[in-house]
Amino acid sequence: QLTMSLNSSTLLNEEKAQGAKRNTECLESLELQTPSSFQDNPLQQLQLASQEVLEKAKKSGRSKCPRCKSSRMFYCYTCFVPVETVPTKEIPTVKLPLKIDIIKHPNETDGKSTAVHAKLLAPDDVTIYKYPCIPEYEEKRHEVALIFPGPNSVSVKEIAFHLQKYTKKGACASDDGCFREPLLKQAKIQPEEGKNPRECISSSRSEGTKLKKIIFIDSTWNQTNKIITDERLQGLLQIELKTRKTCFWRHQKGKPDTYLSTIEAIYYFLVDYHQEILKESYEGQYDNLLFFFSFMHTLIKDAKCCAGKE
């Protein structure tokens, strides 16, 4: 499942319909959960900016988009800006280590997508395209990858190795074809004093195969075929996030729990990229990408709890 929706009015009406006693009991039951149950929900461990601004907005109800004047809850999913009751200065911003393109299916309802979260929270590094209006990637296949589970997908830690098969002229037609072609001679590199020659060569290769952009498809799983088969996406390195499980409340039946919502996929990829490729300790640098997602997750979970659904 790559999409999300939230009927805020319905949720707010459900909350108001519940008595104070039931709300108290619900909160107490949440507080009595064992530590292991919190470990099962990674959203509990996030280092997030204060969500007080969202709490206030929830109590005041829907508000106008400052641009199109439409009535929205928290943010406008068409203009990619917070509503009037959510000051922009109180929304965290996240700096990403690479650029992200999100390709959105034309039939996907704007209000059901978590892709807008990425644009709101990392506006300088995220671009959203509505299919079929997408960029040409052929000349940049050596620095672009696509997040999509498939038979030829690789893990994040394998990115550097597989990008070595790509050149600025494009990608090899297949893995076999890549290995049939003679390898280009490596320029002789004089090792710096005190450094292993192999380390210098490895460093040079990594510079030449540096990943600069990641592409995500934003649609339901039943809609992905139209986009993934587009000729403009053929030949791109595909990456699959195989070890993460979704916390999304609209997970499609019959699909693996490793199929993530768009914002989850972006977040988990960046965490893995930070650790596996950048080789740096992760200390919550991208947690605020789940600023809206985690708040809505709690909101919906509490509403279901108080309605007796959990």
Side-chain angles (χ1 to χ4, degrees), residues 192-234:
E192 296 179 22
E193 185 177 352
K195 284 193 175 182
N196 187 309
R198 291 186 178 180
E199 292 180 355
C200 294
I201 294 175
S202 177
S203 176
S204 176
R205 286 178 177 174
S206 65
E207 284 297 318
T209 58
K210 185 177 181 181
L211 186 65
K212 294 184 179 179
K213 180 174 290 186
I214 287 290
I215 305 168
F216 292 84
I217 296 175
D218 184 58
S219 71
T220 62
W221 286 105
N222 292 332
Q223 296 170 336
T224 56
N225 188 60
K226 181 177 182 179
I227 296 178
I228 196 62
T229 55
D230 189 287
E231 61 180 6
R232 290 167 291 183
L233 299 180
Q234 301 311 301

Side-chain angles (χ1 to χ4, degrees), residues 159-216:
I159 290 175
F161 171 76
H162 286 276
L163 278 183
Q164 290 182 30
K165 303 174 186 177
Y166 292 69
T167 68
K168 290 186 178 181
K169 292 183 179 180
C172 296
S174 68
D175 285 352
D176 291 339
C178 287
F179 289 115
R180 289 195 194 103
E181 294 292 333
L183 294 175
L184 295 176
K185 291 183 178 180
Q186 294 290 333
K188 187 175 181 180
I189 301 173
Q190 294 297 331
E192 296 179 22
E193 185 177 352
K195 284 193 175 182
N196 187 309
R198 291 186 178 180
E199 292 180 355
C200 294
I201 294 175
S202 177
S203 176
S204 176
R205 286 178 177 174
S206 65
E207 284 297 318
T209 58
K210 185 177 181 181
L211 186 65
K212 294 184 179 179
K213 180 174 290 186
I214 287 290
I215 305 168
F216 292 84

Side-chain angles (χ1 to χ4, degrees), residues 12 48-63 72-75 81-93 120-121 288 291-292 294-296 299:
L12 292 173
L48 298 173
S50 173
Q51 294 176 321
E52 184 179 358
V53 62
L54 300 182
E55 289 285 356
K56 292 180 179 178
K58 182 189 72 171
K59 293 177 181 178
S60 60
R62 299 169 71 88
S63 181
R72 301 281 189 258
M73 193 70 178
F74 304 127
Y75 55 81
V81 294
V83 294
E84 293 178 347
T85 55
V86 181
T88 302
K89 64 181 181 180
E90 295 187 41
I91 299 299
T93 56
L120 281 162
L121 298 164
N288 275 322
F291 180 76
F292 291 105
S294 63
F295 183 82
M296 293 175 177
L299 185 66

Side-chain angles (χ1 to χ4, degrees), residues 9-20 22-23 306-307:
S9 298
T10 301
L11 291 174
L12 292 173
N13 290 335
E14 287 180 358
E15 286 186 332
K16 293 178 180 178
Q18 307 303 324
R22 175 173 287 185
N23 286 336
C306 296

Side-chain angles (χ1 to χ4, degrees), residues 43-44 51 249 293-303:
L43 299 183
Q44 295 284 350
Q51 294 176 321
W249 49 93
F293 184 88
S294 63
F295 183 82
M296 293 175 177
H297 179 274
T298 300
L299 185 66
I300 292 174
K301 181 179 179 180
D302 289 352

Side-chain angles (χ1 to χ4, degrees), residues 65-212:
C65 167
R67 294 185 183 177
C68 68
K69 305 303 179 183
S70 297
S71 177
R72 301 281 189 258
M73 193 70 178
F74 304 127
Y75 55 81
C76 179
Y77 43 76
T78 52
C79 299
F80 309 141
V81 294
V83 294
E84 293 178 347
T85 55
V86 181
T88 302
K89 64 181 181 180
E90 295 187 41
I91 299 299
T93 56
V94 184
K95 181 61 180 174
L96 308 184
L98 37 69
K99 300 298 181 181
I100 288 178
D101 282 358
I102 300 175
I103 301 175
K104 187 175 181 296
H105 193 281
N107 296 335
E108 185 59 31
T109 305
D110 290 338
K112 293 184 177 182
S113 172
T114 60
V116 62
H117 295 184
K119 183 62 179 176
L120 281 162
L121 298 164
D124 295 336
D125 298 316
V126 175
T127 304
I128 298 179
Y129 297 95
K130 181 169 286 190
Y131 187 83
C133 298
I134 66 174
E136 295 284 350
Y137 297 106
E138 184 175 0
E139 296 300 320
K140 297 183 178 181
R141 289 179 180 175
H142 60 292
E143 58 187 31
V144 177
L146 171 67
I147 301 294
F148 191 80
N152 299 317
S153 298
V154 304
S155 66
V156 174
K157 64 173 60 178
E158 297 174 300
I159 290 175
F161 171 76
H162 286 276
L163 278 183
Q164 290 182 30
K165 303 174 186 177
Y166 292 69
T167 68
K168 290 186 178 181
K169 292 183 179 180
C172 296
S174 68
D175 285 352
D176 291 339
C178 287
F179 289 115
R180 289 195 194 103
E181 294 292 333
L183 294 175
L184 295 176
K185 291 183 178 180
Q186 294 290 333
K188 187 175 181 180
I189 301 173
Q190 294 297 331
E192 296 179 22
E193 185 177 352
K195 284 193 175 182
N196 187 309
R198 291 186 178 180
E199 292 180 355
C200 294
I201 294 175
S202 177
S203 176
S204 176
R205 286 178 177 174
S206 65
E207 284 297 318
T209 58
K210 185 177 181 181
L211 186 65
K212 294 184 179 179

Side-chain angles (χ1 to χ4, degrees), residues 270-276 278-282 285-286:
L270 289 171
V271 172
D272 290 347
Y273 178 84
H274 193 86
Q275 296 174 317
E276 300 288 352
L278 299 183
K279 301 296 183 182
E280 297 179 11
S281 175
Y282 184 70
Q285 290 91 333
Y286 315 120

